Amino acid sequence: MQQSLLGLLALHANRSVSQEEMAHVLWGEEPPNSFHQLIHTYVSRLRALLTEHQDPQTGSPSIVRRNVGYELRVEAGCLDLLRFRELTEKSERARVSGDLTLEVRLLRESLQLWSGLVLEGFSPRLREHPLAVECGRQQISSALRFSHLAVTSGHYEQAIDQLQPIVRHHPLHEGLHAPLMVALAGAGQQVEALALFSRLDRALRNDFGIEPGAELRAAQLAVLRGVTPAGNGVPAADHVPGPGPELERPYELPPDTPDLVGRDEHHPVLLHLTQGDAHTGSFGPSPVAALCGPPGAGKSTLAVRVANSSRFHYVDGTLYADIRNEPSGTARTAAILERFLKVLGMPERDIPRGLTERSSCYRSLLAERRVLVVVDNVAHEEQIQPLLPGGFSSALLFSSRVPLFGVTGARHVPLPLFTTEQAVRLLIRIVGEGRAHAEPGRAEEIAELCGHLPLAIRIVGQRLVARPHWSLARMVRRLHDEDRRLSELTHGDLDVRSRLDTHLDSLEEPLERALRLLTDSTDAFTIGTAAATLGCTPASAEDLIDGLVDHQLLTGPDSTGRYEFPLLTRLHARTRE
């Protein structure tokens, strides 16, 4: 456990890691109730070990508490991962400036830091962490670039020395096999190059039922024809992967929220979006993740944070669209596709008019790149289906208030209301620890009166910041008045009532009537009592209740079969005209 925790902190070196992420890596989906205390114990032991082995000349790394997590503070020269990242950035700058000699030297130095896979021998949850996967991808990218430069200048043995160890760890990676075959052939090892092709061809056909791709076929043909990228009077080959043409790399995300409170849902969504990677040898369609939750639950905020967390994986950029309050149907989706195609570099004159044709062009472009597409506030499946990416390397993350189970291959992650602890933590981050701790218990009262709705907590916090002379107790008194509570929950562009209005306006008449009658009559109910209130059969009442649950307007059933409306939803439905 201590090794895994240290490995996780090292992946995030000089950045804070939340305890929720630590718990997921150490224990998976079901951490023990005492995981906070266990993590504290492991951190204490690691601190003692780091102090014991401190270098008197350079000092040693230290683990510090930061926000609600921990951070490993370490100099770049003491951690090979940080050194690798630094050298990779410098080599990229050298490539852009055209200094190929310096680029080759920096790439060679960065690749010499490697002796195996990232965190080899550790638990799968840590080795499959998005940052570990991304680090492995960067190694492959650097090795491919180095081999391209080495082969085109006739230094075949140098390319072989770099590629062979990596190919052993990635036996199905066609992009690594192709340049290795060309390098082997250039070094006079045509038999070994063709044997390498045969082994991969056999594995792809037997294990996956697919044939080698165009890149590998081109390399095989080059070997058979005796064509090498350099030497023998042959010009540079087209078959060795180089940096390729400069692509448009958009980054369209709105600003991240600095005081975001950690959610358990963050890490599983991030893993789903970044683990499926054809470039590291696994096959499968582009990942799709869907965040679903009631109005004001923080879906948009979490989507932006997840997208920012995966920026090292989707190196070709991030596309973003918010379709809140947009009309349903295909016209809006067609307009989004038109903008996406322009951003990805397609000339306006080449963009087709039809939705199907635009979707096809969009998928073709994404199939060749590593792009994350984020679409916020989706209302209907027809809005998102044409935006599903093609190929294996890009991904889609979207949010919706209602689960859209008809979206092919999507992993649906429900986003519940905050716990009291999360709500209090958010309020403290906004108003400050001193102000909150000066009035013990008031933050918990505010959390309860806001129904643990993240949007409501944020509004209260911002109102308190805007009025430093207000006490938390004064805010509590204002919220206690149920007739005025929703009027208190507005600040600038943030308004709980308007968010709920938009959601309720989308309900079909039977569901809207059921909501109105049930909120007027009781706070919690069973299917039987709901049937009596609605004047219908239990089967019909169950259908209506399931519809309200799907719309995130009702929670349950609990162990006794009872359903309950979220506090602010019930209050709003009762006072709505």
Side-chain angles (χ1 to χ4, degrees):
M1 288 295 187
Q2 289 173 216
Q3 285 180 329
S4 293
L5 182 55
L6 183 59
L8 178 64
L9 291 169
L11 285 175
H12 286 277
N14 299 321
R15 289 180 293 181
S16 179
V17 185
S18 69
Q19 293 192 49
E20 288 80 5
E21 182 174 346
M22 294 178 182
H24 181 83
V25 169
L26 295 179
W27 293 285
E29 300 295 337
E30 298 182 359
N33 294 331
S34 60
F35 77 85
H36 288 288
Q37 182 57 45
L38 289 170
I39 288 173
H40 177 74
T41 300
Y42 299 150
V43 168
S44 298
R45 292 174 181 172
L46 286 173
R47 282 173 174 158
L49 284 171
L50 293 173
T51 301
E52 179 183 349
H53 296 281
Q54 185 173 22
D55 187 330
Q57 301 297 322
T58 63
S60 70
S62 61
I63 301 176
V64 298
R65 184 70 182 262
R66 185 178 170 194
N67 297 329
V68 292
Y70 293 93
E71 175 183 320
L72 176 67
R73 291 185 177 171
V74 58
E75 298 293 332
C78 297
L79 185 63
D80 50 9
L81 174 60
L82 290 180
R83 180 63 178 156
F84 173 72
R85 289 172 178 166
E86 179 183 15
L87 290 169
T88 301
E89 291 175 2
K90 288 182 177 179
S91 69
E92 177 63 20
R93 290 196 292 270
R95 184 189 72 81
V96 172
S97 65
D99 191 343
L100 297 184
T101 302
L102 176 60
E103 183 187 3
V104 168
R105 181 177 65 79
L106 292 169
L107 286 170
R108 181 186 292 111
E109 186 179 349
S110 70
L111 291 168
Q112 286 173 347
L113 294 169
W114 290 80
S115 59
L117 295 172
V118 184
L119 296 169
E120 191 167 5
F122 281 72
S123 70
R125 281 193 298 272
L126 185 58
R127 285 188 285 108
E128 294 167 1
H129 188 282
L131 288 178
V133 172
E134 175 58 24
C135 188
R137 190 204 64 79
Q138 288 180 332
Q139 180 205 16
I140 291 173
S141 178
S142 296
L144 288 173
R145 176 60 179 166
F146 178 86
S147 67
H148 169 69
L149 296 174
V151 165
T152 53
S153 60
H155 296 99
Y156 304 111
E157 296 293 347
Q158 292 184 22
I160 294 170
D161 290 343
Q162 292 297 338
L163 291 174
Q164 274 187 331
I166 304 178
V167 165
R168 283 195 289 270
H169 291 301
H170 302 280
L172 298 176
H173 196 307
E174 296 186 46
L176 285 169
H177 281 70
L180 179 56
M181 287 172 58
V182 174
L184 287 168
Q189 303 178 51
Q190 285 86 353
V191 174
E192 290 81 355
L194 293 174
L196 186 69
F197 173 84
S198 297
R199 286 194 297 271
L200 180 55
D201 179 35
R202 192 162 49 247
L204 292 174
R205 293 177 186 275
N206 293 342
D207 297 341
F208 298 98
I210 60 177
E211 297 183 356
E215 184 180 10
L216 202 62
R217 287 290 187 190
Q220 180 201 26
L221 186 60
V223 173
L224 291 172
R225 291 178 175 176
V227 178
T228 53
N232 301 324
V234 180
D238 298 328
H239 309 307
V240 183
E246 196 66 30
L247 300 175
E248 297 290 335
R249 290 180 171 85
Y251 199 76
E252 297 191 320
L253 288 176
D256 204 342
T257 304
D259 51 25
L260 179 70
V261 169
R263 275 186 175 272
D264 293 342
E265 297 80 11
H266 175 277
H267 196 56
V269 175
L270 184 61
L271 284 175
H272 177 69
L273 290 175
T274 56
Q275 277 185 337
D277 185 5
H279 295 271
T280 55
S282 57
F283 295 86
S286 296
V288 177
L291 297 173
C292 175
K299 302 180 292 298
S300 302
T301 302
L302 183 60
V304 170
R305 175 57 58 91
V306 169
N308 274 319
S309 299
S310 64
R311 66 190 182 279
F312 296 115
H313 188 86
Y314 294 101
V315 294
D316 292 323
T318 305
L319 300 173
Y320 178 83
D322 184 356
I323 53 179
R324 175 181 291 148
N325 300 329
E326 294 287 347
S328 61
T330 60
R332 173 57 179 161
T333 303
I336 292 173
L337 282 170
E338 180 181 16
R339 183 174 65 80
F340 282 176
L341 291 172
K342 289 179 183 177
V343 170
L344 292 170
M346 177 174 282
E348 186 172 359
R349 65 179 180 274
D350 295 336
I351 297 175
R353 297 180 62 85
L355 175 64
T356 302
E357 292 76 12
R358 286 182 181 179
S359 182
S360 178
C361 291
Y362 159 82
R363 287 173 177 156
S364 297
L365 288 176
L366 292 192
E368 300 173 356
R369 312 184 193 194
R370 297 166 64 84
V371 173
L372 176 63
V373 182
V374 182
V375 184
D376 216 356
N377 298 297
V378 179
H380 305 282
E381 292 164 0
E382 62 183 3
Q383 292 176 318
I384 198 66
Q385 291 284 11
L387 298 174
L388 294 174
F392 300 95
S393 54
S394 293
L396 172 66
L397 171 64
F398 70 91
S399 70
S400 64
R401 292 171 179 169
V402 180
L404 303 179
F405 294 118
V407 178
T408 307
R411 176 175 178 179
H412 297 271
V413 180
L415 212 59
L417 301 176
F418 270 170
T419 63
T420 299
E421 178 188 2
Q422 290 172 317
V424 169
R425 197 188 313 158
L426 175 58
L427 187 62
I428 290 176
R429 286 193 180 184
I430 297 173
V431 305
E433 291 188 7
R435 192 171 177 184
H437 292 163
E439 299 182 69
R442 295 302 187 184
E444 287 81 357
E445 286 187 72
I446 290 174
E448 294 296 327
L449 291 168
C450 289
H452 300 94
L453 184 70
L455 175 63
I457 300 296
R458 182 171 298 283
I459 289 172
V460 169
Q462 292 185 1
R463 291 193 69 191
L464 287 169
V465 169
R467 296 167 176 79
H469 58 285
W470 279 20
S471 65
L472 270 66
R474 180 174 180 175
M475 193 74 240
V476 168
R477 289 194 298 272
R478 296 175 72 96
L479 291 173
H480 261 297
D481 185 350
E482 287 195 352
D483 293 333
R484 286 187 45 81
R485 188 178 304 171
L486 290 174
S487 298
E488 296 288 340
L489 297 177
T490 180
H491 182 78
D493 293 334
L494 303 179
D495 187 345
V496 169
R497 192 196 305 273
S498 66
R499 293 283 183 91
L500 292 173
D501 271 334
T502 301
H503 192 36
L504 267 58
D505 286 342
S506 67
L507 291 180
E508 297 175 355
E509 195 281 330
L511 288 179
E512 193 278 332
R513 175 179 177 274
L515 174 70
R516 185 177 66 255
L517 293 175
L518 291 171
T519 52
D520 281 344
S521 64
T522 181
D523 292 340
F525 53 87
T526 63
I527 291 176
T529 55
T533 300
L534 298 173
C536 63
T537 65
S540 297
E542 186 174 13
D543 289 341
L544 291 168
I545 288 171
D546 285 343
L548 293 173
V549 170
D550 287 343
H551 279 270
Q552 315 296 309
L553 296 170
L554 192 61
T555 60
D558 61 15
S559 58
T560 65
R562 295 170 68 83
Y563 295 82
E564 189 172 6
F565 289 102
L567 176 63
L568 296 182
T569 299
R570 186 180 70 243
L571 183 61
H572 177 257
R574 286 177 174 176
T575 58
R576 191 171 187 244
E577 295 181 358

